[in-house]
Amino acid sequence: AQTVTQSQPEMSVQEAETVTLSCTYDTSESNYYLFWYKQPPSRQMILVIRQEAYKQQNATENRFSVNFQKAAKSFSLKISDSQLGDTAMYFCAFMKPFRSGNTPLVFGKGTRLSVIA
Amino acid sequence: NAGVTQTPKFRILKIGQSMTLQCTQDMNHNYMYWYRQDPGMGLKLIYYSVGAGITDKGEVPNGYNVSRSTTEDFPLRLELAAPSQTSVYFCASSADLEQFFGPGTRLTVL
């Protein structure tokens, strides 16, 4: 079974600074997908960024980027120019290959990020 | 598109009562999921469905039942509610990689 570990329960960052959230995972699959989801106080789950394991290039979405290290099974999220609206719980999640027939996400426990003015 | 809608938003149940959490999506997605989120934890899969008439258990199915008679609807039934079922429940749907989540239902069992 796949497991996802987020070792930082809470983090804080000054507005406009950069912060990195860590995630490691365990799997025997060679192809899979990794995600970062954001959950603000509104409770809504919002997809931040996605990485396909077969791609060597790290995914980037505006101020959000990942550092994907497949051999180390590491998938960290970097948030640049942090904004107050980035304050939220961030969840790392794993998905097996879509056509394998089992597509639910496996989530880590989350990291609570506070952006301080 | 309304996306994924869930009702109710909040509910308090007494031990032993039963209820159904409703989930509807208007995106014609084949895949639908039910997760629960306990305080300070990530989401755990309760049940999922790959299409109308097909459901399967997730990581924490005990105490719950589901049905999928249409593509749009995926209700979650709690029988004999217990305090351990106090949680926030999320429904999600997908056509491929990206899962779209509903706003959640906060359930308290006293």
Side-chain angles (χ1 to χ4, degrees):
Chain A
Q2 289 75 27
T3 58
V4 177
T5 302
Q6 293 179 249
S7 59
Q8 305 151 314
E10 294 187 26
M11 295 189 72
S12 62
V13 63
Q14 291 289 132
E15 199 174 5
E17 296 295 308
T18 296
V19 64
T20 299
L21 280 58
S22 301
C23 172
T24 58
Y25 58 93
D26 188 25
T27 184
S28 59
E29 304 280 346
S30 58
N31 192 23
Y32 46 86
Y33 302 89
L34 296 163
F35 305 82
W36 279 98
Y37 277 86
K38 170 184 178 181
Q39 187 181 44
S42 67
R43 209 168 64 196
Q44 183 70 45
M45 294 289 287
I46 303 165
L47 178 63
V48 174
I49 200 165
R50 180 181 85 205
Q51 175 79 41
E52 290 86 349
Y54 63 86
K55 291 186 177 179
Q56 291 188 336
Q57 186 172 6
N58 289 325
T60 299
E61 289 286 343
N62 300 315
R63 297 183 295 106
F64 298 87
S65 62
V66 299
N67 183 3
F68 174 50
Q69 301 289 327
K70 190 173 184 179
K73 296 181 180 176
S74 170
F75 182 60
S76 61
L77 175 69
K78 186 172 81 172
I79 305 174
S80 304
D81 185 25
S82 297
Q83 300 175 359
L84 295 177
D86 295 334
T87 293
M89 283 288 288
Y90 287 82
F91 292 99
C92 181
F94 172 99
M95 178 188 286
K96 287 166 58 175
F98 182 73
R99 297 302 173 192
S100 72
N102 183 358
T103 60
L105 293 163
V106 177
F107 286 89
K109 292 184 178 181
T111 296
R112 184 177 301 280
L113 177 67
S114 298
V115 180
I116 303 166
Chain B
N1 280 354
V4 180
T5 57
Q6 293 183 237
T7 56
K9 286 187 169 53
F10 304 93
R11 183 72 185 269
I12 298 175
L13 281 182
K14 293 183 178 179
I15 295 172
Q17 287 185 321
S18 60
M19 76 165 293
T20 298
L21 280 66
Q22 301 292 344
C23 175
T24 300
Q25 53 94 6
D26 63 358
M27 297 173 282
N28 201 33
H29 288 167
N30 282 329
Y31 291 79
M32 295 189 74
Y33 316 85
W34 274 106
Y35 296 92
R36 61 176 285 174
Q37 182 181 24
D38 298 330
M41 303 291 284
L43 280 67
K44 292 187 177 181
L45 183 70
I46 305 172
Y47 271 95
Y48 69 102
S49 170
V50 301
I54 306 170
T55 62
D56 207 348
K57 296 178 180 179
E59 182 183 356
V60 289
N62 291 344
Y64 307 95
N65 281 299
V66 294
S67 60
R68 184 94 183 271
S69 56
T70 67
T71 299
E72 295 78 20
D73 300 307
F74 190 41
L76 177 71
R77 178 81 177 165
L78 279 72
E79 306 282 1
L80 298 175
S84 60
Q85 294 178 304
T86 293
S87 191
V88 178
Y89 291 83
F90 288 95
C91 179
S93 72
S94 69
D96 47 39
L97 293 176
E98 182 173 357
Q99 292 189 16
F100 295 83
F101 286 82
T105 295
R106 182 178 293 278
L107 175 67
T108 302
V109 182
L110 300 174

